[in-house]
Amino acid sequence: MSARRKNRFSFKRNNVKTFLFFLIFTSLLWLFTQFSKNYTEEVEVGIRYINLPDDRILNDRSDQTLKLTLNGNGFRLMNHYWSTSHIEFDVANATTYIDNEYHFFVNKEAQFLKNELDFKGRILAVQKDTVKLKLDINLEKRIPVKIEQNIEYTTGYGSDKGLEISPDSITISGPEKIVDTIQSISTKELELEAVNSDFSSRLEIDIQDLPPSVTIYPAEVDASIVVSKFTEGRSEVPITLQNVPEGDKIKIFPKEVTVVYRVGLDRYNEITPMDFKVVANYNNVADDSSFLILELVQIPESIHDVRLRDKQVQYVILK
């Protein structure tokens, strides 16, 4: 490259640098000038309440924001453009207290406001001269957890106790008038298919329908299923007659009924006919009927899908 072309290229490059320098300098000067001017702006600030009584909770109808009209240069207003400021009101400094409602007097001239906002300009106006804090009684109680489940086992498998959770109850807290109406809470639904082995997981508590003012602890429970092989069992159980009229003698045919059930292989030999009770209640006999309805009133806890092979038994009255 010739010396002439090099000088021309260097001259152009220096011109670009000079242009960029003056562009940035004038932009900064313009910004400084604009931010140095005074502005009047309405801003909204958040309200925080501190030192609430331990047995009280914030009511949603409490004032939670406050609008202020501020006057100052751009530098002083800058923080209020870029982030939401907050003012703290200490319950101990409330102006008045009536029926769980605290009132705080707000004076635009008070140094308290400027200190809270960290603002060096002027406060021209305040939306309201009194901030109201309303409190509710904070109630805490234990409620049972209900399991939402849809579980299908592989054929030949099952569980004696089914899905179990720990803990079986949780602590709920919030406004008394709301918490008093909540008697139980459910987990999010657990769906399982073709289960043939032990299962454990954590289930979330379903809080979708809870108001925001209500909190729970814990938010999850441990869930588990102990799975075993199952088989079908049968027992011949004697039928017990009930409420036979005094002086009458009733004879039934047959005197036993077959109870069919599913049970884990490891507990199959534990089940005996004495674990069941089947009754025929004479008070439930229909007019002109020669049959008594059978009712299974006692079964062991370890069996499932229990049914009677026959639902009724024939009878005759012997005079």
Side-chain angles (χ1 to χ4, degrees), residues 13-223:
R13 186 170 60 181
N14 288 336
N15 280 349
V16 171
K17 289 182 177 180
T18 302
F19 172 77
L20 290 176
F21 170 78
F22 280 104
L23 177 63
I24 294 172
F25 176 76
T26 54
S27 297
L28 291 174
L29 184 61
W30 180 85
L31 286 173
F32 181 81
T33 302
Q34 296 302 314
F35 275 95
S36 297
K37 294 179 181 179
N38 265 24
Y39 298 92
T40 298
E41 293 290 338
E42 184 180 74
V43 299
E44 185 174 74
V45 299
I47 295 177
R48 292 175 180 156
Y49 300 100
I50 60 175
N51 294 326
L52 273 62
D54 293 337
D55 61 342
R56 294 292 187 269
I57 190 171
L58 185 69
N59 186 295
D60 291 338
R61 296 194 302 275
S62 299
D63 291 326
Q64 299 184 44
T65 59
L66 183 66
K67 290 183 179 179
L68 306 171
T69 303
L70 305 181
N71 178 264
N73 63 44
F75 293 105
R76 290 172 175 170
L77 292 171
M78 186 184 302
N79 289 339
H80 302 287
Y81 288 133
W82 292 346
S83 62
T84 301
S85 302
H86 288 85
I87 300 175
E88 284 190 352
F89 288 95
D90 191 331
V91 169
N93 298 328
T95 308
T96 60
Y97 170 71
I98 303 174
D99 295 333
N100 289 326
E101 184 171 295
Y102 295 82
H103 293 177
F104 301 87
F105 179 68
V106 182
N107 183 356
K108 68 177 183 178
E109 304 295 339
Q111 187 63 33
F112 160 77
L113 283 181
K114 290 186 178 182
N115 292 342
E116 285 291 312
L117 296 173
D118 192 21
F119 182 63
K120 306 301 182 183
R122 297 172 57 205
I123 300 176
L124 301 181
V126 181
Q127 176 191 21
K128 56 180 70 176
D129 61 8
T130 302
V131 170
K132 296 180 181 179
L133 164 64
K134 298 182 179 181
L135 297 180
D136 290 326
I137 296 176
N138 185 35
L139 179 63
E140 184 177 286
K141 70 176 184 179
R142 299 284 292 183
I143 58 173
V145 177
K146 293 184 177 180
I147 310 172
E148 292 294 329
Q149 58 180 301
N150 182 13
I151 300 174
E152 296 182 1
Y153 297 92
T154 301
T155 302
Y157 289 82
S159 173
D160 285 339
K161 297 183 178 179
L163 181 65
E164 295 183 296
I165 59 172
S166 178
D168 59 3
S169 62
I170 64 167
T171 300
I172 183 172
S173 63
E176 181 181 34
K177 61 184 179 181
I178 297 177
V179 173
D180 260 345
T181 65
I182 303 174
Q183 304 305 321
S184 64
I185 196 165
S186 299
T187 63
K188 291 187 176 181
E189 186 173 19
L190 175 65
E191 292 192 15
L192 298 174
E193 295 182 353
V195 178
N196 58 13
S197 61
D198 293 350
F199 168 86
S200 64
S201 181
R202 294 186 67 82
L203 290 181
E204 290 184 36
I205 302 297
D206 189 355
I207 61 173
Q208 183 176 357
D209 296 329
L210 287 182
S213 57
V214 174
T215 59
I216 63 169
Y217 181 82
E220 295 180 325
V221 294
D222 293 318

Side-chain angles (χ1 to χ4, degrees), residues 2 6 8 40 82 191 211 223 229 250 260 288 305 311:
S2 66
K6 286 183 179 179
R8 184 181 300 172
T40 298
W82 292 346
E191 292 192 15
K229 285 190 175 182
I250 294 179
V260 183
D288 300 326
D305 303 330
K311 300 295 181 64

Side-chain angles (χ1 to χ4, degrees), residues 227-287:
V227 178
S228 59
K229 285 190 175 182
F230 268 48
T231 187
E232 185 176 89
R234 295 169 180 264
S235 293
E236 299 297 323
V237 179
I239 300 170
T240 301
L241 287 172
Q242 288 184 339
N243 298 316
V244 176
E246 187 176 353
D248 288 348
K249 187 175 181 181
I250 294 179
K251 191 171 184 179
I252 57 175
F253 307 96
K255 296 182 178 180
E256 295 180 338
V257 64
T258 301
V259 179
V260 183
Y261 50 88
R262 292 177 64 244
V263 64
L265 281 175
D266 55 340
R267 308 198 69 171
Y268 179 80
N269 292 327
E270 298 177 8
I271 307 302
T272 70
M274 300 299 295
D275 296 320
F276 301 89
K277 184 175 182 180
V278 178
V279 300
N281 191 340
Y282 187 80
N283 285 346
N284 297 332
V285 67
D287 294 339

